[in-house]
Amino acid sequence: MALEDRKWHILRTIIDDYIATATPVGSRAISKRPDIALSSATIRNEMSDLEEMGYLDQPHTSAGRVPSDKAYRLYVDQMMRKTDLNDNDIRSIRQVIDKRIGEAGELIAQTARVLSQLTRYPSVAIAPAAVDAAIRHIQLVPVAEGRALAVVVTDAATIHDMLMRVPHGFGADELERYSRMLTARLRGHTLGDATALLETQFGDELRQHRAFFDQIADALQRNARKVGRTPVALGGTSNLFFHPEFKDLEQARSMISVLETEDIMVHLLEPRPQPMQITFTIGGENQLDEMKGASIVTASYRIGPAHMASFGVIGPTRMDYARVVAVLEYLGRSLSEIFTARLQDESQPFDP
Amino acid sequence: MALEDRKWHILRTIIDDYIATATPVGSRAISKRPDIALSSATIRNEMSDLEEMGYLDQPHTSAGRVPSDKAYRLYVDQMMRKTDLNDNDIRSIRQVIDKRIGEAGELIAQTARVLSQLTRYPSVAIAPAAVDAAIRHIQLVPVAEGRALAVVVTDAATIHDMLMRVPHGFGADELERYSRMLTARLRGHTLGDATALLETQFGDELRQHRAFFDQIADALQRNARKVGRTPVALGGTSNLFFHPEFKDLEQARSMISVLETEDIMVHLLEPRPQPMQITFTIGGENQLDEMKGASIVTASYRIGPAHMASFGVIGPTRMDYARVVAVLEYLGRSLSEIFTARLQDESQPFDP
DNA sequence: TTTAGCACTCGACTGATGAGAGTGCTAACA
DNA sequence: TGTTAGCACTCTCATCAGTCGAGTGCTAAA
């Protein structure tokens, strides 16, 4: 049905125009487009229809129209055309990747930074959650008489450290012995399970050094409980101000306040089951009242075989979705590659 | 000289009033104060003098007066009265301290959070710089065939991790052996020195496993070079909007942009030689143009015998300096205590 | 079905006006 | 000589009316 096609064509044109200009788009502006050979009056009729169907809103009677959340949803699901990144964009991303950043915190910080730099929206990156990560190595490092640092490395490439007390007289050797024992018996189990395992696995030693094991259990448990405290990196908050929808101070304030609340961000970016699948949350689809005027676009990437980290951008519903998708996809693919390469690639010869 | 005293008394009253109200203060408002028994005309004369002396500014002829940077400097150096924290404030701080947070990153994040919460200004906390921290322990943890995580613990209670390649066939035992060797021979040296020491200390092994040692040197060096990349935690950015001086969007934007730039923040918070000494940087005293309208108040605390971390708040020059000082002092003292206790306290019996 | 025309609506901008707050100056007062 | 009352003056800010322009909806003609 050609008529319907025309409606969608007009709707897409309106959305594109509004994304580009941020001002309500009028019938005349559309009719002047070279690819639309219709008078403004005809466009007005179509727009009137589209408004009735819920795809357009009118801020007030004598303004142009603005796409509704429903329109954006249709747009990202069906209308959006892929855009390509230009060489500069790709270079920026490669620069981060090629830096061979080793520390996880540093990597997510850089991810958020480059993301916000390329999209001009505030961006977030989060490391994988700790609970279901399996323990790979436990090391008790002496830091002072009676004190040690418990370092736990997981298969999600995350590392956790906790200061703890140790019995007097426990030297480097003792700690080393326990490090090996702990690693041997807890390896492969999750942080969540580990505490319970201490009971069954270390019956004898446990009775002997009750307080010591309590400390270890405590350290493990506190790490496990940090689900809501996953490392979060935020970048480009000040980009918010480039978009007219945040010209209102109160609007900007409450948005920044939300962005700062790590618990909320972790929840919003929750990695999706499918890696590399891009998720859109548009305006009113957000649970949070403060976010009803904003959209979130997220993607995730694999870290090793079982874990995923995610990242995304937050902006006005009038977001340049096509470009954001292009950036997220490229960045996600790059990150997956380096993580897969670093953690799993066993075929590669050692010589660098 | 009683006359001079009177001038200072008036100046202090003006500063206090302006800090509280954020509106230029007129002669009448001051003369109505119960502790000042002078007519507005007299105050006007005094104010005129103070303006000539550079302590007061006039936004425009028919507005009240506003303290100058010079006035604030005098205020913090000589006029400010100590304020006490109330029970709620103290409780908030103790809550953070008593949480027994083990991870360094978590602790600085919490510090920044509570600081901004209590002062209503954006706050920053930074961990000690890495360069001059001495190595305490090096642990190579196997994460996959051909890959290991190099974990370095320093005496500044910081820990660094770097992914690196290892020769094929290097198993847990080999890595353990090298961990011990590296720890034994590099312990006590700084990250910066360590690279050079590898050459002299590991002549034989080095020749044997050239590529391996190159990787270790690389990892150490990259950590050392991270001076400008010290972990920084930012809290309460959105508090900026509570203060009328940032009602201007462009003002707020450039300020937030600066706050987000970690390199700049690290530079601004540079720990002072004296721990627990509070440093003020007022308005124009800032090097950075974007900060000329803002003040920074910082404090630092000891971590172990040789290292210091610092934290501070950033706000308008019209800042409630007295309260900020009270919060910083209490928080700094508390942090110094727990760090000293945790890292050094050797007398305390083990039993928790 | 499309289009031209037209009256109507509403926000943004402009300029005038007056109230209010605060000053500086002068002259009188203790 | 220092202090105070009085007064003219200045400048900002809020308000209000008027105008402009963009955009709409409706009607009638092509």
mmCIF file of all heavy atoms in Angstrom, chain A residues 11-49:
data_model
loop_
_atom_site.group_PDB
_atom_site.id
_atom_site.type_symbol
_atom_site.label_atom_id
_atom_site.label_comp_id
_atom_site.label_asym_id
_atom_site.label_seq_id
_atom_site.Cartn_x
_atom_site.Cartn_y
_atom_site.Cartn_z
ATOM 1 N N LEU A 11 6.907 10.303 8.220
ATOM 2 C CA LEU A 11 7.248 10.187 9.637
ATOM 3 C C LEU A 11 8.759 10.109 9.820
ATOM 4 O O LEU A 11 9.338 10.793 10.663
ATOM 5 C CB LEU A 11 6.579 8.952 10.242
ATOM 6 C CG LEU A 11 6.873 8.706 11.732
ATOM 7 C CD1 LEU A 11 6.506 9.924 12.582
ATOM 8 C CD2 LEU A 11 6.128 7.474 12.242
ATOM 9 N N ARG A 12 9.386 9.293 9.011
ATOM 10 C CA ARG A 12 10.846 9.185 9.151
ATOM 11 C C ARG A 12 11.523 10.526 8.879
ATOM 12 O O ARG A 12 12.456 10.915 9.584
ATOM 13 C CB ARG A 12 11.401 8.144 8.185
ATOM 14 C CG ARG A 12 12.919 8.203 8.172
ATOM 15 C CD ARG A 12 13.512 7.472 7.009
ATOM 16 N NE ARG A 12 13.564 6.055 7.272
ATOM 17 C CZ ARG A 12 13.476 5.130 6.328
ATOM 18 N NH1 ARG A 12 13.291 5.495 5.082
ATOM 19 N NH2 ARG A 12 13.571 3.859 6.646
ATOM 20 N N THR A 13 11.006 11.217 7.872
ATOM 21 C CA THR A 13 11.595 12.519 7.562
ATOM 22 C C THR A 13 11.451 13.473 8.744
ATOM 23 O O THR A 13 12.380 14.205 9.092
ATOM 24 C CB THR A 13 10.911 13.120 6.314
ATOM 25 O OG1 THR A 13 10.903 12.146 5.279
ATOM 26 C CG2 THR A 13 11.659 14.351 5.850
ATOM 27 N N ILE A 14 10.273 13.434 9.351
ATOM 28 C CA ILE A 14 10.058 14.292 10.516
ATOM 29 C C ILE A 14 11.035 13.927 11.633
ATOM 30 O O ILE A 14 11.670 14.792 12.240
ATOM 31 C CB ILE A 14 8.601 14.167 11.017
ATOM 32 C CG1 ILE A 14 7.644 14.757 9.977
ATOM 33 C CG2 ILE A 14 8.430 14.869 12.356
ATOM 34 C CD1 ILE A 14 6.185 14.532 10.290
ATOM 35 N N ILE A 15 11.164 12.624 11.895
ATOM 36 C CA ILE A 15 12.060 12.198 12.972
ATOM 37 C C ILE A 15 13.500 12.619 12.670
ATOM 38 O O ILE A 15 14.183 13.203 13.508
ATOM 39 C CB ILE A 15 11.976 10.670 13.171
ATOM 40 C CG1 ILE A 15 10.565 10.286 13.645
ATOM 41 C CG2 ILE A 15 13.011 10.214 14.196
ATOM 42 C CD1 ILE A 15 10.347 8.802 13.813
ATOM 43 N N ASP A 16 13.939 12.348 11.459
ATOM 44 C CA ASP A 16 15.301 12.734 11.088
ATOM 45 C C ASP A 16 15.509 14.229 11.283
ATOM 46 O O ASP A 16 16.518 14.673 11.826
ATOM 47 C CB ASP A 16 15.577 12.365 9.621
ATOM 48 C CG ASP A 16 15.863 10.877 9.463
ATOM 49 O OD1 ASP A 16 16.259 10.247 10.468
ATOM 50 O OD2 ASP A 16 15.679 10.342 8.360
ATOM 51 N N ASP A 17 14.522 14.982 10.806
ATOM 52 C CA ASP A 17 14.641 16.426 10.911
ATOM 53 C C ASP A 17 14.689 16.871 12.362
ATOM 54 O O ASP A 17 15.523 17.698 12.748
ATOM 55 C CB ASP A 17 13.455 17.085 10.190
ATOM 56 C CG ASP A 17 13.636 18.578 10.050
ATOM 57 O OD1 ASP A 17 13.449 19.282 11.056
ATOM 58 O OD2 ASP A 17 13.982 19.047 8.943
ATOM 59 N N TYR A 18 13.824 16.287 13.158
ATOM 60 C CA TYR A 18 13.775 16.706 14.557
ATOM 61 C C TYR A 18 15.055 16.319 15.302
ATOM 62 O O TYR A 18 15.564 17.065 16.132
ATOM 63 C CB TYR A 18 12.555 16.111 15.259
ATOM 64 C CG TYR A 18 12.385 16.647 16.664
ATOM 65 C CD1 TYR A 18 12.111 17.995 16.869
ATOM 66 C CD2 TYR A 18 12.519 15.819 17.775
ATOM 67 C CE1 TYR A 18 11.977 18.505 18.150
ATOM 68 C CE2 TYR A 18 12.379 16.315 19.055
ATOM 69 C CZ TYR A 18 12.103 17.662 19.234
ATOM 70 O OH TYR A 18 11.979 18.161 20.503
ATOM 71 N N ILE A 19 15.575 15.149 14.995
ATOM 72 C CA ILE A 19 16.826 14.730 15.619
ATOM 73 C C ILE A 19 17.942 15.711 15.262
ATOM 74 O O ILE A 19 18.781 16.056 16.096
ATOM 75 C CB ILE A 19 17.205 13.296 15.167
ATOM 76 C CG1 ILE A 19 16.304 12.282 15.879
ATOM 77 C CG2 ILE A 19 18.671 12.998 15.456
ATOM 78 C CD1 ILE A 19 16.536 10.840 15.478
ATOM 79 N N ALA A 20 17.900 16.193 14.028
ATOM 80 C CA ALA A 20 18.963 17.091 13.594
ATOM 81 C C ALA A 20 18.806 18.506 14.135
ATOM 82 O O ALA A 20 19.787 19.159 14.491
ATOM 83 C CB ALA A 20 19.024 17.122 12.067
ATOM 84 N N THR A 21 17.576 18.984 14.222
ATOM 85 C CA THR A 21 17.400 20.404 14.549
ATOM 86 C C THR A 21 16.886 20.681 15.959
ATOM 87 O O THR A 21 17.026 21.789 16.459
ATOM 88 C CB THR A 21 16.386 21.051 13.592
ATOM 89 O OG1 THR A 21 15.089 20.459 13.820
ATOM 90 C CG2 THR A 21 16.811 20.839 12.152
ATOM 91 N N ALA A 22 16.260 19.711 16.590
ATOM 92 C CA ALA A 22 15.712 19.881 17.935
ATOM 93 C C ALA A 22 14.569 20.889 18.000
ATOM 94 O O ALA A 22 14.161 21.286 19.074
ATOM 95 C CB ALA A 22 16.796 20.264 18.933
ATOM 96 N N THR A 23 14.078 21.326 16.842
ATOM 97 C CA THR A 23 12.917 22.222 16.877
ATOM 98 C C THR A 23 11.727 21.516 16.234
ATOM 99 O O THR A 23 11.888 20.794 15.249
ATOM 100 C CB THR A 23 13.178 23.525 16.101
ATOM 101 O OG1 THR A 23 13.804 23.204 14.858
ATOM 102 C CG2 THR A 23 14.080 24.466 16.879
ATOM 103 N N PRO A 24 10.524 21.750 16.751
ATOM 104 C CA PRO A 24 9.326 21.121 16.196
ATOM 105 C C PRO A 24 9.287 21.347 14.691
ATOM 106 O O PRO A 24 9.568 22.453 14.228
ATOM 107 C CB PRO A 24 8.194 21.874 16.898
ATOM 108 C CG PRO A 24 8.772 22.328 18.192
ATOM 109 C CD PRO A 24 10.214 22.622 17.900
ATOM 110 N N VAL A 25 8.971 20.323 13.956
ATOM 111 C CA VAL A 25 9.041 20.473 12.504
ATOM 112 C C VAL A 25 7.654 20.711 11.913
ATOM 113 O O VAL A 25 6.690 20.022 12.235
ATOM 114 C CB VAL A 25 9.788 19.272 11.840
ATOM 115 C CG1 VAL A 25 10.103 18.198 12.844
ATOM 116 C CG2 VAL A 25 9.051 18.703 10.672
ATOM 117 N N GLY A 26 7.580 21.732 11.062
ATOM 118 C CA GLY A 26 6.318 22.144 10.465
ATOM 119 C C GLY A 26 6.112 21.527 9.099
ATOM 120 O O GLY A 26 7.029 20.950 8.518
ATOM 121 N N SER A 27 4.901 21.661 8.619
ATOM 122 C CA SER A 27 4.560 21.013 7.355
ATOM 123 C C SER A 27 5.367 21.596 6.184
ATOM 124 O O SER A 27 5.765 20.883 5.275
ATOM 125 C CB SER A 27 3.070 21.172 7.079
ATOM 126 O OG SER A 27 2.695 22.531 7.172
ATOM 127 N N ARG A 28 5.607 22.878 6.246
ATOM 128 C CA ARG A 28 6.320 23.524 5.139
ATOM 129 C C ARG A 28 7.743 22.981 5.002
ATOM 130 O O ARG A 28 8.212 22.706 3.893
ATOM 131 C CB ARG A 28 6.366 25.027 5.370
ATOM 132 C CG ARG A 28 5.827 25.837 4.211
ATOM 133 C CD ARG A 28 5.834 27.316 4.522
ATOM 134 N NE ARG A 28 7.074 27.965 4.116
ATOM 135 C CZ ARG A 28 7.389 28.242 2.840
ATOM 136 N NH1 ARG A 28 6.554 27.910 1.881
ATOM 137 N NH2 ARG A 28 8.526 28.823 2.521
ATOM 138 N N ALA A 29 8.389 22.836 6.117
ATOM 139 C CA ALA A 29 9.767 22.339 6.092
ATOM 140 C C ALA A 29 9.848 20.977 5.410
ATOM 141 O O ALA A 29 10.759 20.716 4.637
ATOM 142 C CB ALA A 29 10.312 22.245 7.516
ATOM 143 N N ILE A 30 8.853 20.144 5.685
ATOM 144 C CA ILE A 30 8.852 18.812 5.088
ATOM 145 C C ILE A 30 8.565 18.888 3.593
ATOM 146 O O ILE A 30 9.221 18.248 2.781
ATOM 147 C CB ILE A 30 7.792 17.915 5.772
ATOM 148 C CG1 ILE A 30 8.129 17.727 7.247
ATOM 149 C CG2 ILE A 30 7.689 16.566 5.078
ATOM 150 C CD1 ILE A 30 9.436 17.035 7.502
ATOM 151 N N SER A 31 7.576 19.714 3.227
ATOM 152 C CA SER A 31 7.178 19.758 1.809
ATOM 153 C C SER A 31 8.299 20.322 0.943
ATOM 154 O O SER A 31 8.329 20.106 -0.263
ATOM 155 C CB SER A 31 5.907 20.590 1.630
ATOM 156 O OG SER A 31 6.206 21.961 1.639
ATOM 157 N N LYS A 32 9.217 21.041 1.548
ATOM 158 C CA LYS A 32 10.311 21.617 0.758
ATOM 159 C C LYS A 32 11.428 20.617 0.488
ATOM 160 O O LYS A 32 12.304 20.866 -0.335
ATOM 161 C CB LYS A 32 10.876 22.850 1.473
ATOM 162 C CG LYS A 32 10.140 24.132 1.108
ATOM 163 C CD LYS A 32 10.925 25.370 1.524
ATOM 164 C CE LYS A 32 10.876 25.558 3.014
ATOM 165 N NZ LYS A 32 11.316 26.890 3.461
ATOM 166 N N ARG A 33 11.378 19.504 1.199
ATOM 167 C CA ARG A 33 12.406 18.482 0.979
ATOM 168 C C ARG A 33 12.373 17.974 -0.461
ATOM 169 O O ARG A 33 11.288 17.683 -0.984
ATOM 170 C CB ARG A 33 12.135 17.286 1.911
ATOM 171 C CG ARG A 33 12.429 17.595 3.355
ATOM 172 C CD ARG A 33 13.795 17.082 3.660
ATOM 173 N NE ARG A 33 14.085 17.222 5.079
ATOM 174 C CZ ARG A 33 14.894 16.395 5.719
ATOM 175 N NH1 ARG A 33 15.437 15.385 5.086
ATOM 176 N NH2 ARG A 33 15.159 16.597 6.988
ATOM 177 N N PRO A 34 13.508 17.837 -1.107
ATOM 178 C CA PRO A 34 13.506 17.400 -2.515
ATOM 179 C C PRO A 34 12.870 16.024 -2.728
ATOM 180 O O PRO A 34 12.268 15.772 -3.769
ATOM 181 C CB PRO A 34 14.996 17.377 -2.872
ATOM 182 C CG PRO A 34 15.728 17.368 -1.569
ATOM 183 C CD PRO A 34 14.841 18.064 -0.598
ATOM 184 N N ASP A 35 12.988 15.131 -1.726
ATOM 185 C CA ASP A 35 12.453 13.782 -1.917
ATOM 186 C C ASP A 35 10.972 13.695 -1.597
ATOM 187 O O ASP A 35 10.385 12.626 -1.613
ATOM 188 C CB ASP A 35 13.246 12.769 -1.081
ATOM 189 C CG ASP A 35 13.206 13.121 0.393
ATOM 190 O OD1 ASP A 35 13.072 14.337 0.704
ATOM 191 O OD2 ASP A 35 13.291 12.221 1.241
ATOM 192 N N ILE A 36 10.358 14.816 -1.281
ATOM 193 C CA ILE A 36 8.924 14.810 -0.988
ATOM 194 C C ILE A 36 8.249 15.850 -1.867
ATOM 195 O O ILE A 36 8.439 17.045 -1.687
ATOM 196 C CB ILE A 36 8.661 15.097 0.500
ATOM 197 C CG1 ILE A 36 9.205 13.935 1.334
ATOM 198 C CG2 ILE A 36 7.180 15.285 0.762
ATOM 199 C CD1 ILE A 36 8.811 13.959 2.769
ATOM 200 N N ALA A 37 7.479 15.382 -2.823
ATOM 201 C CA ALA A 37 6.858 16.297 -3.788
ATOM 202 C C ALA A 37 5.392 16.510 -3.444
ATOM 203 O O ALA A 37 4.492 16.159 -4.198
ATOM 204 C CB ALA A 37 7.018 15.742 -5.202
ATOM 205 N N LEU A 38 5.162 17.033 -2.299
ATOM 206 C CA LEU A 38 3.783 17.256 -1.856
ATOM 207 C C LEU A 38 3.696 18.660 -1.269
ATOM 208 O O LEU A 38 4.681 19.195 -0.771
ATOM 209 C CB LEU A 38 3.397 16.240 -0.787
ATOM 210 C CG LEU A 38 3.299 14.774 -1.235
ATOM 211 C CD1 LEU A 38 3.208 13.858 -0.032
ATOM 212 C CD2 LEU A 38 2.103 14.596 -2.153
ATOM 213 N N SER A 39 2.538 19.220 -1.322
ATOM 214 C CA SER A 39 2.385 20.563 -0.753
ATOM 215 C C SER A 39 2.290 20.469 0.757
ATOM 216 O O SER A 39 2.048 19.404 1.329
ATOM 217 C CB SER A 39 1.119 21.212 -1.288
ATOM 218 O OG SER A 39 0.005 20.668 -0.611
ATOM 219 N N SER A 40 2.491 21.615 1.387
ATOM 220 C CA SER A 40 2.449 21.624 2.849
ATOM 221 C C SER A 40 1.068 21.232 3.356
ATOM 222 O O SER A 40 0.932 20.616 4.408
ATOM 223 C CB SER A 40 2.841 23.000 3.376
ATOM 224 O OG SER A 40 1.890 23.952 2.984
ATOM 225 N N ALA A 41 0.045 21.559 2.601
ATOM 226 C CA ALA A 41 -1.324 21.224 3.033
ATOM 227 C C ALA A 41 -1.511 19.710 3.122
ATOM 228 O O ALA A 41 -2.070 19.194 4.093
ATOM 229 C CB ALA A 41 -2.336 21.823 2.079
ATOM 230 N N THR A 42 -0.992 19.028 2.116
ATOM 231 C CA THR A 42 -1.099 17.563 2.123
ATOM 232 C C THR A 42 -0.336 16.986 3.314
ATOM 233 O O THR A 42 -0.832 16.111 4.035
ATOM 234 C CB THR A 42 -0.513 16.983 0.823
ATOM 235 O OG1 THR A 42 -1.080 17.689 -0.271
ATOM 236 C CG2 THR A 42 -0.809 15.508 0.721
ATOM 237 N N ILE A 43 0.855 17.529 3.506
ATOM 238 C CA ILE A 43 1.649 17.074 4.642
ATOM 239 C C ILE A 43 0.867 17.295 5.933
ATOM 240 O O ILE A 43 0.850 16.451 6.826
ATOM 241 C CB ILE A 43 2.994 17.837 4.714
ATOM 242 C CG1 ILE A 43 3.760 17.743 3.397
ATOM 243 C CG2 ILE A 43 3.837 17.325 5.869
ATOM 244 C CD1 ILE A 43 4.371 16.415 3.129
ATOM 245 N N ARG A 44 0.214 18.437 6.004
ATOM 246 C CA ARG A 44 -0.547 18.735 7.228
ATOM 247 C C ARG A 44 -1.582 17.659 7.500
ATOM 248 O O ARG A 44 -1.765 17.228 8.634
ATOM 249 C CB ARG A 44 -1.221 20.093 7.096
ATOM 250 C CG ARG A 44 -0.313 21.224 7.506
ATOM 251 C CD ARG A 44 -1.117 22.439 7.939
ATOM 252 N NE ARG A 44 -1.787 23.110 6.834
ATOM 253 C CZ ARG A 44 -1.168 23.899 5.949
ATOM 254 N NH1 ARG A 44 0.131 24.080 6.037
ATOM 255 N NH2 ARG A 44 -1.832 24.489 4.999
ATOM 256 N N ASN A 45 -2.252 17.241 6.424
ATOM 257 C CA ASN A 45 -3.249 16.181 6.603
ATOM 258 C C ASN A 45 -2.603 14.899 7.112
ATOM 259 O O ASN A 45 -3.096 14.261 8.048
ATOM 260 C CB ASN A 45 -3.967 15.909 5.278
ATOM 261 C CG ASN A 45 -4.882 17.058 4.897
ATOM 262 O OD1 ASN A 45 -5.374 17.772 5.783
ATOM 263 N ND2 ASN A 45 -5.089 17.262 3.605
ATOM 264 N N GLU A 46 -1.512 14.544 6.498
ATOM 265 C CA GLU A 46 -0.822 13.324 6.926
ATOM 266 C C GLU A 46 -0.353 13.449 8.378
ATOM 267 O O GLU A 46 -0.476 12.515 9.173
ATOM 268 C CB GLU A 46 0.398 13.067 6.026
ATOM 269 C CG GLU A 46 0.060 12.734 4.580
ATOM 270 C CD GLU A 46 -0.480 11.321 4.430
ATOM 271 O OE1 GLU A 46 -1.018 10.758 5.414
ATOM 272 O OE2 GLU A 46 -0.377 10.759 3.322
ATOM 273 N N MET A 47 0.173 14.610 8.689
ATOM 274 C CA MET A 47 0.653 14.809 10.059
ATOM 275 C C MET A 47 -0.492 14.696 11.053
ATOM 276 O O MET A 47 -0.334 14.166 12.153
ATOM 277 C CB MET A 47 1.335 16.179 10.177
ATOM 278 C CG MET A 47 2.728 16.228 9.546
ATOM 279 S SD MET A 47 3.329 17.926 9.396
ATOM 280 C CE MET A 47 4.514 17.974 10.712
ATOM 281 N N SER A 48 -1.613 15.221 10.639
ATOM 282 C CA SER A 48 -2.794 15.133 11.493
ATOM 283 C C SER A 48 -3.137 13.666 11.759
ATOM 284 O O SER A 48 -3.450 13.275 12.882
ATOM 285 C CB SER A 48 -3.960 15.847 10.828
ATOM 286 O OG SER A 48 -5.100 15.757 11.635
ATOM 287 N N ASP A 49 -3.072 12.856 10.675
ATOM 288 C CA ASP A 49 -3.308 11.418 10.835
ATOM 289 C C ASP A 49 -2.293 10.808 11.801
ATOM 290 O O ASP A 49 -2.645 10.079 12.730
ATOM 291 C CB ASP A 49 -3.186 10.698 9.488
ATOM 292 C CG ASP A 49 -4.349 11.031 8.558
ATOM 293 O OD1 ASP A 49 -5.289 11.719 9.029
ATOM 294 O OD2 ASP A 49 -4.303 10.611 7.390
#
